[in-house]
Short mmCIF file of all heavy atoms in Angstrom, two decimals:
data_model
loop_
_atom_site.label_atom_id
_atom_site.label_comp_id
_atom_site.label_asym_id
_atom_site.label_seq_id
_atom_site.Cartn_x
_atom_site.Cartn_y
_atom_site.Cartn_z
N LEU A 645 2.60 7.35 27.20
CA LEU A 645 3.40 8.63 27.15
C LEU A 645 3.84 9.02 28.46
O LEU A 645 4.98 9.38 28.69
CB LEU A 645 2.58 9.72 26.43
CG LEU A 645 3.28 10.96 26.04
CD1 LEU A 645 4.46 10.63 25.05
CD2 LEU A 645 2.34 11.90 25.38
N PRO A 646 2.98 8.94 29.57
CA PRO A 646 3.48 9.34 30.91
C PRO A 646 4.63 8.43 31.36
O PRO A 646 5.58 8.87 32.01
CB PRO A 646 2.28 9.12 31.83
CG PRO A 646 1.11 9.23 30.90
CD PRO A 646 1.57 8.65 29.61
N ILE A 647 4.68 7.15 31.03
CA ILE A 647 5.75 6.25 31.48
C ILE A 647 7.05 6.63 30.72
O ILE A 647 8.11 6.61 31.34
CB ILE A 647 5.38 4.78 31.23
CG1 ILE A 647 4.20 4.36 32.10
CG2 ILE A 647 6.55 3.88 31.45
CD1 ILE A 647 3.71 2.97 31.89
N ALA A 648 6.95 7.02 29.46
CA ALA A 648 8.15 7.35 28.68
C ALA A 648 8.72 8.71 29.21
O ALA A 648 9.96 8.87 29.21
CB ALA A 648 7.78 7.56 27.23
N ALA A 649 7.92 9.63 29.69
CA ALA A 649 8.36 10.92 30.22
C ALA A 649 8.78 10.89 31.62
O ALA A 649 9.53 11.78 32.02
CB ALA A 649 7.28 11.96 29.94
N GLN A 650 8.28 9.98 32.45
CA GLN A 650 8.63 9.96 33.84
C GLN A 650 9.95 9.40 34.16
O GLN A 650 10.48 8.45 33.50
CB GLN A 650 7.62 9.13 34.61
CG GLN A 650 6.95 9.88 35.74
CD GLN A 650 5.85 9.06 36.29
OE1 GLN A 650 5.70 7.88 36.09
NE2 GLN A 650 4.93 9.75 37.05
N ARG A 651 10.70 9.98 35.12
CA ARG A 651 12.03 9.49 35.47
C ARG A 651 12.01 9.20 36.98
O ARG A 651 12.92 9.56 37.72
CB ARG A 651 13.04 10.66 35.21
CG ARG A 651 13.15 11.02 33.82
CD ARG A 651 13.79 9.88 32.89
NE ARG A 651 13.86 10.32 31.55
CZ ARG A 651 13.79 9.47 30.57
NH1 ARG A 651 13.69 8.17 30.78
NH2 ARG A 651 13.88 9.89 29.33
N ALA A 652 11.05 8.49 37.41
CA ALA A 652 10.93 8.13 38.86
C ALA A 652 11.69 6.80 39.04
O ALA A 652 12.03 6.07 38.14
CB ALA A 652 9.48 7.94 39.23
N LEU A 653 11.90 6.47 40.34
CA LEU A 653 12.55 5.26 40.73
C LEU A 653 11.70 4.11 40.32
O LEU A 653 10.43 4.09 40.51
CB LEU A 653 12.79 5.25 42.22
CG LEU A 653 14.01 6.00 42.75
CD1 LEU A 653 14.04 6.01 44.30
CD2 LEU A 653 15.28 5.46 42.17
N GLY A 654 12.27 3.11 39.77
CA GLY A 654 11.55 1.88 39.37
C GLY A 654 11.04 1.93 37.96
O GLY A 654 10.73 0.90 37.35
N LEU A 655 10.98 3.12 37.39
CA LEU A 655 10.46 3.24 35.99
C LEU A 655 11.62 3.34 34.96
O LEU A 655 11.35 3.43 33.73
CB LEU A 655 9.58 4.51 35.80
CG LEU A 655 8.23 4.38 36.43
CD1 LEU A 655 7.44 5.69 36.25
CD2 LEU A 655 7.38 3.23 35.91
N GLU A 656 12.85 3.24 35.39
CA GLU A 656 14.00 3.26 34.50
C GLU A 656 13.97 2.07 33.56
O GLU A 656 14.59 2.13 32.47
CB GLU A 656 15.26 3.45 35.23
CG GLU A 656 15.68 2.35 36.17
CD GLU A 656 15.15 2.54 37.60
OE1 GLU A 656 14.47 3.56 37.86
OE2 GLU A 656 15.48 1.69 38.38
N ARG A 657 13.38 0.97 34.03
CA ARG A 657 13.35 -0.22 33.18
C ARG A 657 12.21 -0.13 32.17
O ARG A 657 12.28 -0.63 31.10
CB ARG A 657 13.18 -1.48 33.98
CG ARG A 657 14.40 -1.80 34.78
CD ARG A 657 14.27 -3.08 35.50
NE ARG A 657 13.00 -3.21 36.26
CZ ARG A 657 12.32 -4.26 36.55
NH1 ARG A 657 12.83 -5.39 36.14
NH2 ARG A 657 11.26 -4.24 37.25
N LEU A 658 11.13 0.57 32.52
CA LEU A 658 9.97 0.62 31.64
C LEU A 658 10.03 1.81 30.60
O LEU A 658 9.31 1.73 29.61
CB LEU A 658 8.64 0.79 32.48
CG LEU A 658 8.29 -0.40 33.39
CD1 LEU A 658 7.09 -0.09 34.20
CD2 LEU A 658 8.14 -1.64 32.53
N SER A 659 10.80 2.79 30.91
CA SER A 659 10.86 4.00 30.06
C SER A 659 11.33 3.63 28.66
O SER A 659 10.68 4.07 27.67
CB SER A 659 11.73 5.03 30.71
OG SER A 659 11.75 6.14 29.86
N PRO A 660 12.39 2.92 28.43
CA PRO A 660 12.75 2.55 27.03
C PRO A 660 11.75 1.77 26.32
O PRO A 660 11.49 1.93 25.08
CB PRO A 660 14.03 1.76 27.16
CG PRO A 660 14.58 2.12 28.51
CD PRO A 660 13.36 2.47 29.36
N LEU A 661 11.06 0.90 27.06
CA LEU A 661 9.98 0.11 26.42
C LEU A 661 8.83 0.95 25.97
O LEU A 661 8.26 0.80 24.86
CB LEU A 661 9.48 -1.00 27.42
CG LEU A 661 8.36 -1.87 26.89
CD1 LEU A 661 8.85 -2.70 25.75
CD2 LEU A 661 7.85 -2.70 28.01
N ALA A 662 8.49 1.96 26.77
CA ALA A 662 7.42 2.90 26.34
C ALA A 662 7.89 3.63 25.16
O ALA A 662 7.00 3.95 24.29
CB ALA A 662 7.09 3.74 27.60
N VAL A 663 9.08 4.12 25.09
CA VAL A 663 9.59 4.93 23.96
C VAL A 663 9.42 4.05 22.68
O VAL A 663 9.06 4.56 21.64
CB VAL A 663 11.03 5.42 24.17
CG1 VAL A 663 11.61 5.99 22.93
CG2 VAL A 663 11.03 6.42 25.31
N VAL A 664 9.90 2.81 22.72
CA VAL A 664 9.81 1.87 21.60
C VAL A 664 8.37 1.71 21.20
O VAL A 664 8.07 1.66 19.99
CB VAL A 664 10.56 0.59 21.92
CG1 VAL A 664 10.29 -0.46 20.83
CG2 VAL A 664 12.05 0.81 22.05
N ALA A 665 7.48 1.43 22.13
CA ALA A 665 6.10 1.25 21.79
C ALA A 665 5.52 2.53 21.16
O ALA A 665 4.76 2.34 20.13
CB ALA A 665 5.31 0.90 23.07
N ILE A 666 5.76 3.61 21.61
CA ILE A 666 5.31 4.87 21.06
C ILE A 666 5.81 5.06 19.67
O ILE A 666 5.07 5.42 18.72
CB ILE A 666 5.54 6.07 22.00
CG1 ILE A 666 4.74 6.02 23.27
CG2 ILE A 666 5.31 7.36 21.23
CD1 ILE A 666 5.24 6.97 24.31
N GLY A 667 7.13 4.80 19.50
CA GLY A 667 7.71 4.97 18.14
C GLY A 667 7.15 3.98 17.23
O GLY A 667 6.90 4.28 16.05
N GLY A 668 6.94 2.78 17.58
CA GLY A 668 6.38 1.76 16.74
C GLY A 668 4.98 2.14 16.32
O GLY A 668 4.63 1.92 15.13
N LEU A 669 4.16 2.65 17.24
CA LEU A 669 2.82 3.05 16.84
C LEU A 669 2.82 4.22 15.87
O LEU A 669 2.05 4.26 14.94
CB LEU A 669 1.99 3.39 18.09
CG LEU A 669 1.59 2.24 19.00
CD1 LEU A 669 1.04 2.76 20.31
CD2 LEU A 669 0.56 1.45 18.30
N MET A 670 3.70 5.11 16.11
CA MET A 670 3.76 6.25 15.17
C MET A 670 4.25 5.86 13.78
O MET A 670 3.67 6.30 12.78
CB MET A 670 4.73 7.33 15.75
CG MET A 670 4.16 8.05 16.95
SD MET A 670 5.21 9.19 17.78
CE MET A 670 5.85 10.18 16.45
N VAL A 671 5.30 4.98 13.75
CA VAL A 671 5.72 4.51 12.37
C VAL A 671 4.72 3.74 11.69
O VAL A 671 4.43 3.91 10.49
CB VAL A 671 7.03 3.69 12.60
CG1 VAL A 671 7.43 3.02 11.28
CG2 VAL A 671 8.21 4.61 13.05
N ALA A 672 3.99 2.86 12.42
CA ALA A 672 2.98 2.00 11.75
C ALA A 672 1.79 2.92 11.29
O ALA A 672 1.27 2.65 10.20
CB ALA A 672 2.45 1.02 12.78
N THR A 673 1.48 3.89 12.02
CA THR A 673 0.35 4.78 11.59
C THR A 673 0.76 5.55 10.35
O THR A 673 0.05 5.68 9.43
CB THR A 673 -0.01 5.81 12.73
OG1 THR A 673 -0.40 5.06 13.88
CG2 THR A 673 -1.10 6.69 12.32
N PHE A 674 2.03 6.08 10.39
CA PHE A 674 2.50 6.83 9.18
C PHE A 674 2.56 5.93 7.98
O PHE A 674 2.15 6.35 6.87
CB PHE A 674 3.88 7.39 9.56
CG PHE A 674 4.60 8.04 8.36
CD1 PHE A 674 4.16 9.21 7.88
CD2 PHE A 674 5.61 7.37 7.68
CE1 PHE A 674 4.79 9.81 6.83
CE2 PHE A 674 6.31 7.98 6.58
CZ PHE A 674 5.82 9.22 6.18
N LEU A 675 3.10 4.71 8.08
CA LEU A 675 3.16 3.88 6.95
C LEU A 675 1.81 3.49 6.47
O LEU A 675 1.59 3.37 5.24
CB LEU A 675 3.96 2.63 7.26
CG LEU A 675 5.53 2.83 7.53
CD1 LEU A 675 6.10 1.58 7.99
CD2 LEU A 675 6.17 3.41 6.37
N THR A 676 0.89 3.27 7.36
CA THR A 676 -0.45 2.91 6.92
C THR A 676 -1.11 4.11 6.18
O THR A 676 -1.75 3.80 5.16
CB THR A 676 -1.37 2.55 8.21
OG1 THR A 676 -0.73 1.39 8.80
CG2 THR A 676 -2.77 2.22 7.83
N LEU A 677 -0.92 5.23 6.70
CA LEU A 677 -1.59 6.38 6.00
C LEU A 677 -0.87 6.80 4.71
O LEU A 677 -1.55 7.41 3.87
CB LEU A 677 -1.60 7.59 6.98
CG LEU A 677 -2.51 7.44 8.17
CD1 LEU A 677 -2.29 8.65 9.13
CD2 LEU A 677 -3.93 7.30 7.79
N LEU A 678 0.33 6.36 4.54
CA LEU A 678 1.12 6.76 3.31
C LEU A 678 1.11 5.58 2.31
O LEU A 678 0.74 5.81 1.14
CB LEU A 678 2.58 7.07 3.74
CG LEU A 678 3.45 7.48 2.55
CD1 LEU A 678 3.00 8.86 2.03
CD2 LEU A 678 4.88 7.53 3.01
N TYR A 679 1.46 4.41 2.74
CA TYR A 679 1.64 3.33 1.72
C TYR A 679 0.36 2.62 1.25
O TYR A 679 0.30 2.21 0.14
CB TYR A 679 2.64 2.33 2.26
CG TYR A 679 4.06 2.81 2.22
CD1 TYR A 679 4.74 3.17 3.38
CD2 TYR A 679 4.66 2.87 0.97
CE1 TYR A 679 6.07 3.63 3.23
CE2 TYR A 679 6.02 3.37 0.88
CZ TYR A 679 6.67 3.70 2.04
OH TYR A 679 7.92 4.17 1.93
N ILE A 680 -0.58 2.55 2.12
CA ILE A 680 -1.87 1.79 1.69
C ILE A 680 -2.50 2.62 0.58
O ILE A 680 -2.80 1.99 -0.48
CB ILE A 680 -2.77 1.64 2.85
CG1 ILE A 680 -2.21 0.74 3.93
CG2 ILE A 680 -4.21 1.21 2.43
CD1 ILE A 680 -1.96 -0.67 3.45
N PRO A 681 -2.66 3.89 0.57
CA PRO A 681 -3.26 4.61 -0.58
C PRO A 681 -2.36 4.51 -1.80
O PRO A 681 -2.87 4.40 -2.89
CB PRO A 681 -3.31 6.06 -0.12
CG PRO A 681 -3.41 5.98 1.42
CD PRO A 681 -2.54 4.83 1.73
N ILE A 682 -1.02 4.53 -1.64
CA ILE A 682 -0.20 4.46 -2.78
C ILE A 682 -0.33 3.14 -3.49
O ILE A 682 -0.53 3.04 -4.71
CB ILE A 682 1.30 4.73 -2.37
CG1 ILE A 682 1.51 6.20 -2.04
CG2 ILE A 682 2.24 4.27 -3.50
CD1 ILE A 682 2.83 6.49 -1.44
N PHE A 683 -0.27 2.02 -2.71
CA PHE A 683 -0.38 0.71 -3.30
C PHE A 683 -1.77 0.50 -3.91
O PHE A 683 -1.95 -0.14 -4.91
CB PHE A 683 -0.08 -0.41 -2.33
CG PHE A 683 1.35 -0.54 -2.05
CD1 PHE A 683 1.91 -0.41 -0.80
CD2 PHE A 683 2.20 -0.87 -3.12
CE1 PHE A 683 3.28 -0.63 -0.59
CE2 PHE A 683 3.57 -1.04 -2.94
CZ PHE A 683 4.14 -0.89 -1.68
N TYR A 684 -2.82 1.02 -3.25
CA TYR A 684 -4.15 0.88 -3.84
C TYR A 684 -4.20 1.60 -5.17
O TYR A 684 -4.78 1.02 -6.15
CB TYR A 684 -5.21 1.61 -2.86
CG TYR A 684 -6.61 1.43 -3.35
CD1 TYR A 684 -7.31 0.27 -3.12
CD2 TYR A 684 -7.19 2.52 -4.08
CE1 TYR A 684 -8.59 0.21 -3.63
CE2 TYR A 684 -8.44 2.35 -4.51
CZ TYR A 684 -9.17 1.24 -4.30
OH TYR A 684 -10.48 1.16 -4.79
N ASP A 685 -3.68 2.77 -5.26
CA ASP A 685 -3.70 3.49 -6.56
C ASP A 685 -2.91 2.73 -7.59
O ASP A 685 -3.32 2.63 -8.78
CB ASP A 685 -3.15 4.88 -6.35
CG ASP A 685 -3.36 5.77 -7.56
OD1 ASP A 685 -4.51 5.73 -8.06
OD2 ASP A 685 -2.41 6.51 -7.92
N LEU A 686 -1.71 2.25 -7.24
CA LEU A 686 -0.91 1.48 -8.20
C LEU A 686 -1.64 0.25 -8.71
O LEU A 686 -1.67 -0.02 -9.93
CB LEU A 686 0.39 1.10 -7.64
CG LEU A 686 1.40 2.19 -7.37
CD1 LEU A 686 2.63 1.68 -6.60
CD2 LEU A 686 1.87 2.76 -8.69
N PHE A 687 -2.18 -0.55 -7.76
CA PHE A 687 -2.86 -1.76 -8.22
C PHE A 687 -4.14 -1.49 -9.02
O PHE A 687 -4.49 -2.21 -9.91
CB PHE A 687 -3.13 -2.67 -7.02
CG PHE A 687 -1.89 -3.38 -6.50
CD1 PHE A 687 -1.54 -3.20 -5.21
CD2 PHE A 687 -1.06 -4.13 -7.33
CE1 PHE A 687 -0.40 -3.85 -4.69
CE2 PHE A 687 0.07 -4.70 -6.85
CZ PHE A 687 0.39 -4.54 -5.56
N ASP A 688 -4.87 -0.40 -8.65
CA ASP A 688 -6.03 -0.02 -9.38
C ASP A 688 -5.66 0.38 -10.79
O ASP A 688 -6.39 0.05 -11.76
CB ASP A 688 -6.76 1.07 -8.66
CG ASP A 688 -8.15 1.36 -9.27
OD1 ASP A 688 -8.90 0.39 -9.47
OD2 ASP A 688 -8.46 2.54 -9.63
N GLY A 689 -4.56 1.06 -11.00
CA GLY A 689 -4.11 1.43 -12.33
C GLY A 689 -3.72 0.18 -13.18
O GLY A 689 -4.06 0.13 -14.35
N VAL A 690 -3.09 -0.77 -12.56
CA VAL A 690 -2.70 -2.05 -13.26
C VAL A 690 -4.01 -2.78 -13.65
O VAL A 690 -4.13 -3.27 -14.75
CB VAL A 690 -1.83 -2.94 -12.37
CG1 VAL A 690 -1.66 -4.29 -12.91
CG2 VAL A 690 -0.50 -2.25 -12.16
N ARG A 691 -5.04 -2.75 -12.77
CA ARG A 691 -6.30 -3.40 -13.05
C ARG A 691 -6.98 -2.78 -14.21
O ARG A 691 -7.49 -3.41 -15.11
CB ARG A 691 -7.14 -3.50 -11.76
CG ARG A 691 -8.44 -4.23 -11.96
CD ARG A 691 -9.33 -4.18 -10.72
NE ARG A 691 -9.77 -2.89 -10.41
CZ ARG A 691 -10.94 -2.42 -10.93
NH1 ARG A 691 -11.69 -3.18 -11.71
NH2 ARG A 691 -11.42 -1.20 -10.61
N GLN A 692 -7.04 -1.45 -14.21
CA GLN A 692 -7.67 -0.68 -15.26
C GLN A 692 -6.97 -0.94 -16.64
O GLN A 692 -7.64 -1.12 -17.64
CB GLN A 692 -7.69 0.82 -15.00
CG GLN A 692 -8.55 1.19 -13.78
CD GLN A 692 -10.04 0.94 -14.12
OE1 GLN A 692 -10.54 0.97 -15.21
NE2 GLN A 692 -10.78 0.51 -13.06
N ARG A 693 -5.68 -0.94 -16.64
CA ARG A 693 -4.93 -1.25 -17.86
C ARG A 693 -5.21 -2.61 -18.34
O ARG A 693 -5.42 -2.89 -19.60
CB ARG A 693 -3.41 -0.99 -17.72
CG ARG A 693 -3.01 0.42 -17.66
CD ARG A 693 -1.54 0.62 -17.79
NE ARG A 693 -0.81 0.00 -16.67
CZ ARG A 693 -0.53 0.58 -15.53
NH1 ARG A 693 -0.91 1.78 -15.32
NH2 ARG A 693 0.20 -0.09 -14.62
N GLY A 694 -5.31 -3.63 -17.44
CA GLY A 694 -5.60 -4.92 -17.79
C GLY A 694 -7.00 -5.07 -18.37
O GLY A 694 -7.25 -5.77 -19.37
N ILE A 695 -7.93 -4.39 -17.82
CA ILE A 695 -9.33 -4.41 -18.32
C ILE A 695 -9.40 -3.84 -19.75
O ILE A 695 -10.00 -4.37 -20.65
CB ILE A 695 -10.23 -3.63 -17.41
CG1 ILE A 695 -10.49 -4.48 -16.10
CG2 ILE A 695 -11.62 -3.36 -18.01
CD1 ILE A 695 -11.18 -3.72 -14.98
N ARG A 696 -8.70 -2.66 -19.91
CA ARG A 696 -8.71 -2.06 -21.36
C ARG A 696 -8.02 -3.01 -22.31
O ARG A 696 -8.49 -3.13 -23.49
CB ARG A 696 -7.95 -0.73 -21.25
CG ARG A 696 -8.87 0.42 -20.79
CD ARG A 696 -8.12 1.65 -20.76
NE ARG A 696 -7.07 1.51 -19.79
CZ ARG A 696 -6.40 2.47 -19.24
NH1 ARG A 696 -6.61 3.68 -19.54
NH2 ARG A 696 -5.47 2.31 -18.36
N TRP A 697 -6.94 -3.68 -21.92
CA TRP A 697 -6.28 -4.58 -22.80
C TRP A 697 -7.14 -5.76 -23.23
O TRP A 697 -7.22 -6.09 -24.32
CB TRP A 697 -4.97 -5.12 -22.10
CG TRP A 697 -4.14 -5.98 -22.92
CD1 TRP A 697 -3.34 -5.72 -23.96
CD2 TRP A 697 -4.09 -7.47 -22.78
NE1 TRP A 697 -2.78 -6.81 -24.47
CE2 TRP A 697 -3.22 -7.94 -23.77
CE3 TRP A 697 -4.65 -8.33 -21.89
CZ2 TRP A 697 -2.92 -9.26 -23.86
CZ3 TRP A 697 -4.36 -9.71 -21.98
CH2 TRP A 697 -3.49 -10.15 -23.01
N LEU A 698 -7.90 -6.31 -22.20
CA LEU A 698 -8.76 -7.42 -22.48
C LEU A 698 -9.90 -6.95 -23.39
O LEU A 698 -10.27 -7.70 -24.31
CB LEU A 698 -9.39 -8.00 -21.20
CG LEU A 698 -8.39 -8.88 -20.39
CD1 LEU A 698 -9.04 -9.27 -19.05
CD2 LEU A 698 -8.06 -10.14 -21.19
N GLU A 699 -10.43 -5.78 -23.12
CA GLU A 699 -11.53 -5.31 -24.02
C GLU A 699 -11.08 -5.09 -25.45
O GLU A 699 -11.78 -5.39 -26.41
CB GLU A 699 -12.09 -4.01 -23.44
CG GLU A 699 -12.95 -4.20 -22.25
CD GLU A 699 -13.40 -2.91 -21.52
OE1 GLU A 699 -12.99 -1.83 -22.00
OE2 GLU A 699 -14.21 -2.99 -20.62
N ALA A 700 -9.88 -4.55 -25.64
CA ALA A 700 -9.33 -4.36 -26.96
C ALA A 700 -9.11 -5.71 -27.71
O ALA A 700 -9.35 -5.84 -28.86
CB ALA A 700 -7.96 -3.64 -26.89
N ARG A 701 -8.69 -6.69 -26.92
CA ARG A 701 -8.49 -8.05 -27.57
C ARG A 701 -9.83 -8.60 -27.92
O ARG A 701 -10.00 -9.25 -29.03
CB ARG A 701 -7.75 -8.97 -26.58
CG ARG A 701 -6.24 -8.65 -26.51
CD ARG A 701 -5.54 -9.77 -25.81
NE ARG A 701 -5.82 -11.01 -26.49
CZ ARG A 701 -4.97 -12.02 -26.60
NH1 ARG A 701 -3.75 -11.84 -26.01
NH2 ARG A 701 -5.27 -13.15 -27.17
N ARG A 702 -10.83 -8.53 -27.06
CA ARG A 702 -12.16 -9.03 -27.40
C ARG A 702 -12.73 -8.32 -28.60
O ARG A 702 -13.38 -8.98 -29.47
CB ARG A 702 -13.12 -8.84 -26.16
CG ARG A 702 -12.85 -9.84 -25.10
CD ARG A 702 -13.81 -9.68 -23.93
NE ARG A 702 -13.40 -10.49 -22.86
CZ ARG A 702 -13.54 -10.09 -21.61
NH1 ARG A 702 -14.00 -8.86 -21.31
NH2 ARG A 702 -13.07 -10.82 -20.62
N ARG A 703 -12.56 -6.99 -28.67
CA ARG A 703 -13.04 -6.24 -29.77
C ARG A 703 -12.39 -6.72 -31.06
O ARG A 703 -13.03 -6.87 -32.14
CB ARG A 703 -12.76 -4.73 -29.59
CG ARG A 703 -13.99 -3.91 -29.80
CD ARG A 703 -13.80 -2.46 -29.58
NE ARG A 703 -13.43 -2.13 -28.17
CZ ARG A 703 -12.30 -1.62 -27.75
NH1 ARG A 703 -11.43 -1.19 -28.60
NH2 ARG A 703 -12.13 -1.41 -26.47
N ALA A 704 -11.06 -6.90 -31.03
CA ALA A 704 -10.30 -7.25 -32.21
C ALA A 704 -10.70 -8.74 -32.62
O ALA A 704 -10.79 -8.97 -33.81
CB ALA A 704 -8.80 -7.18 -31.90
N ALA A 705 -10.94 -9.53 -31.67
CA ALA A 705 -11.34 -10.92 -32.02
C ALA A 705 -12.74 -10.98 -32.59
O ALA A 705 -12.92 -11.75 -33.57
CB ALA A 705 -11.30 -11.80 -30.76
N SER A 706 -13.65 -10.14 -32.15
CA SER A 706 -14.96 -10.09 -32.72
C SER A 706 -15.04 -9.48 -34.09
O SER A 706 -15.86 -9.84 -34.94
CB SER A 706 -15.95 -9.39 -31.78
OG SER A 706 -15.66 -7.99 -31.74
N GLU A 707 -14.04 -8.62 -34.39
CA GLU A 707 -13.96 -8.02 -35.72
C GLU A 707 -13.18 -8.88 -36.74
O GLU A 707 -13.10 -8.54 -37.89
CB GLU A 707 -13.37 -6.64 -35.64
CG GLU A 707 -14.25 -5.69 -34.86
CD GLU A 707 -13.50 -4.36 -34.61
OE1 GLU A 707 -12.30 -4.22 -34.98
OE2 GLU A 707 -14.08 -3.43 -34.04
N GLY A 708 -12.52 -9.93 -36.21
CA GLY A 708 -11.73 -10.77 -37.04
C GLY A 708 -10.32 -10.26 -37.34
O GLY A 708 -9.67 -10.73 -38.24
N VAL A 709 -9.92 -9.21 -36.65
CA VAL A 709 -8.61 -8.66 -36.88
C VAL A 709 -7.60 -9.38 -35.93
O VAL A 709 -7.93 -9.57 -34.76
CB VAL A 709 -8.59 -7.09 -36.47
CG1 VAL A 709 -7.16 -6.58 -36.63
CG2 VAL A 709 -9.60 -6.42 -37.32
N PRO A 710 -6.49 -9.90 -36.42
CA PRO A 710 -5.55 -10.57 -35.54
C PRO A 710 -4.99 -9.57 -34.53
O PRO A 710 -4.68 -8.42 -34.86
CB PRO A 710 -4.49 -11.06 -36.53
CG PRO A 710 -4.69 -10.30 -37.78
CD PRO A 710 -6.07 -9.81 -37.77
N SER A 711 -4.86 -10.08 -33.36
CA SER A 711 -4.33 -9.22 -32.30
C SER A 711 -2.77 -9.06 -32.44
O SER A 711 -2.13 -9.95 -33.05
CB SER A 711 -4.56 -9.83 -30.95
OG SER A 711 -3.86 -11.02 -30.79
N PRO A 712 -2.23 -7.98 -31.98
CA PRO A 712 -0.78 -7.76 -32.20
C PRO A 712 0.11 -8.88 -31.52
O PRO A 712 1.17 -9.15 -32.07
CB PRO A 712 -0.47 -6.41 -31.47
CG PRO A 712 -1.84 -5.76 -31.37
CD PRO A 712 -2.79 -6.85 -31.37
N SER A 713 -0.39 -9.52 -30.54
CA SER A 713 0.42 -10.53 -29.87
C SER A 713 0.43 -11.85 -30.66
O SER A 713 1.27 -12.71 -30.42
CB SER A 713 -0.11 -10.82 -28.46
OG SER A 713 -1.42 -11.25 -28.50
N SER A 714 -0.54 -12.08 -31.56
CA SER A 714 -0.55 -13.33 -32.25
C SER A 714 0.22 -13.23 -33.58
O SER A 714 0.32 -14.20 -34.30
CB SER A 714 -2.04 -13.71 -32.56
OG SER A 714 -2.58 -12.72 -33.46
N ARG A 715 0.82 -12.11 -33.91
CA ARG A 715 1.59 -11.96 -35.14
C ARG A 715 2.94 -12.61 -34.98
O ARG A 715 3.53 -12.80 -34.08
CB ARG A 715 1.76 -10.51 -35.52
CG ARG A 715 0.45 -9.91 -35.92
CD ARG A 715 0.68 -8.46 -36.33
NE ARG A 715 -0.59 -7.89 -36.48
CZ ARG A 715 -0.73 -6.56 -36.74
NH1 ARG A 715 0.32 -5.79 -36.82
NH2 ARG A 715 -1.89 -6.09 -36.90
#
């Protein structure tokens, strides 16, 4: 942050690099805090639906009832 804010001689080449590095860290942090929980929730929901579907098929097979997909 000090390199990005400083306008001294010799730092004019490093200042844009510092701004890009700070921006990249901020964007990566934001995306990590936002998208990781969203994807976790989505995939967990898909997993739960799959488990319920498999249990329903097993229950139907054990009762001798044909499953809807085999009709």
Side-chain angles (χ1 to χ4, degrees):
L645 193 59
I647 293 174
Q650 230 171 21
R651 300 289 178 210
L653 281 174
L655 288 179
E656 62 270 1
R657 291 185 308 152
L658 294 178
S659 184
L661 180 64
V663 170
V664 169
I666 292 168
L669 287 170
M670 288 174 51
V671 168
T673 301
F674 173 73
L675 292 176
T676 299
L677 293 175
L678 181 70
Y679 283 108
I680 296 297
I682 289 172
F683 282 123
Y684 180 84
D685 191 43
L686 287 174
F687 287 124
D688 189 50
V690 169
R691 185 180 69 87
Q692 291 296 329
R693 282 192 301 272
I695 289 171
R696 280 183 292 200
W697 181 76
L698 283 174
E699 288 175 353
R701 285 193 56 149
R702 286 184 190 138
R703 228 178 298 120
S706 68
E707 295 172 356
V709 178
S711 65
S713 63
S714 66
R715 291 181 192 175

